[in-house]
Amino acid sequence: MNELSKRSTVYFDPQLHAALRLKAAHTQRSLSDIVNDAVRAALAEDQQDLAAFNERIAEPTMSYEALLDDLKAHGKL
């Protein structure tokens, strides 16, 4: 851990904690490294989702009711 790291208390479900400890031991990594990597991956996925939303912002929208009406009109319901 470097000097710029911040300390935080996280409460895990006991079974998740046990699984993380086993993974840490098996991969010879710290629990903190595993959690940091998982958080980075989740944030990167969020960033990709937001970029996809921005790319599609100009697309027309359809209400759920209109979608059901369209499906019924085309014999899909």
Side-chain angles (χ1 to χ4, degrees):
M1 218 166 299
N2 66 40
E3 63 190 50
L4 299 177
S5 295
K6 296 291 181 180
R7 186 178 187 160
S8 184
T9 301
V10 178
Y11 295 95
F12 291 104
D13 175 277
Q15 291 175 322
L16 289 176
H17 187 255
L20 282 169
R21 287 178 50 130
L22 285 172
K23 182 172 182 169
H26 182 72
T27 60
Q28 297 179 342
R29 297 173 63 207
S30 71
L31 203 138
S32 292
D33 285 341
I34 293 170
V35 171
N36 276 312
D37 286 349
V39 171
R40 279 188 195 96
L43 293 174
E45 184 178 323
D46 288 349
Q47 187 178 35
Q48 291 170 354
D49 290 345
L50 290 172
F53 291 146
N54 286 333
E55 289 172 10
R56 300 182 69 181
I57 203 158
E59 289 183 11
T61 59
M62 178 183 280
S63 71
Y64 181 65
E65 291 82 4
L67 173 64
L68 292 177
D69 290 342
D70 185 64
L71 290 171
K72 186 174 183 179
H74 290 94
K76 307 238 176 173
L77 285 182

